[in-house]
Amino acid sequence: MSSKSCIFCSIISGQQSAAHVYRDPNFLVIMDKYPINLGHTLVIPAKHYENLLQMPLPEVRRLYSLVPAIAAAVVSAVRADGFNVGQNNGIAANQIVPHVHVHIVPRFIDDSPDGKWPSRRVASQEELVRVAQKIKKEISLPRT
Ligand SMILES: [Zn+2]
C-alpha cells in the first residue's frame, strides 16, 4: 500500500533520497530535513497510513517498540541531555506529511532559553548524512 504523491512513500521506494539511519521490511528511519536539533530523526512505517488511527494495532506496537532503540542511538550519537518523542495527526496537529511518522528530537539543556520549542532549520545533506552514520553505529536492537 503506497500513495503516489506521498514524499515518504517515494523515499521508501527509493525514488527520492534521504539520509537513511535504519531500514527493515516494516520500517524506515531517516533524518528530518528540517531538524529542530541536529539528530532529529523520523521513524516511518513502510506501509502508507495517513494517521495513527488507520494503523492496525500490531503495527503500532512494532512502531513504538522501535522508538526507544532509535532514541537511545540518537541520544548517544549527539550526546543529548534528553529527547522528545512526537507524532502528529492531522493538519490541526501540525502533521505536514500525511504518512504516519514518529519524531525523535534530541534536546539539550540550553536549547530553549525562552522556554519555547526551538525552531526548525534547514540542514545540509552532508550534515544529515554525517549524523545518520553516527546514529547507525549506536543502534542496538532488542531481541524480540
Ligand atoms: Zn506514504
Side-chain angles (χ1 to χ4, degrees):
M1 199 192 329
S2 75
S3 165
K4 275 205 171 101
S5 59
C6 171
I7 174 81
F8 288 163
C9 284
S10 51
I11 289 171
I12 285 153
S13 69
Q15 289 164 297
Q16 294 250 15
S17 67
H20 288 226
V21 171
Y22 171 81
R23 172 146 214 176
D24 71 21
N26 301 304
F27 299 102
L28 177 66
V29 180
I30 61 172
M31 304 313 298
D32 195 305
K33 273 177 105 165
Y34 307 99
I36 288 171
N37 276 326
L38 191 63
H40 182 166
T41 302
L42 304 175
V43 183
I44 307 169
K47 277 192 194 166
H48 183 91
Y49 298 108
E50 199 169 309
N51 63 53
L52 195 65
L53 302 184
Q54 292 183 348
M55 253 180 119
L57 205 47
E59 294 197 39
V60 173
R61 286 196 191 101
R62 278 200 299 227
L63 171 65
Y64 274 94
S65 298
L66 189 56
V67 167
I70 302 300
V74 168
V75 164
S76 170
V78 301
R79 299 196 169 99
D81 301 309
F83 64 98
N84 293 109
V85 172
Q87 199 267 314
N88 306 334
N89 296 276
I91 291 165
N94 203 29
Q95 182 181 15
I96 296 159
V97 179
H99 179 137
V100 169
H101 54 288
V102 176
H103 294 264
I104 298 171
V105 183
R107 298 299 303 270
F108 302 90
I109 291 294
D110 57 356
D111 71 5
S112 60
D114 58 2
K116 287 182 188 158
W117 196 244
S119 52
R120 285 173 172 246
R121 59 188 186 81
V122 181
S124 73
Q125 187 61 21
E126 296 72 41
E127 199 178 24
L128 294 178
V129 168
R130 188 166 43 78
V131 73
Q133 296 300 335
K134 276 191 180 176
I135 296 168
K136 243 184 232 178
K137 284 187 206 152
E138 300 290 337
I139 294 175
S140 88
L141 293 173
R143 292 179 184 275
T144 49

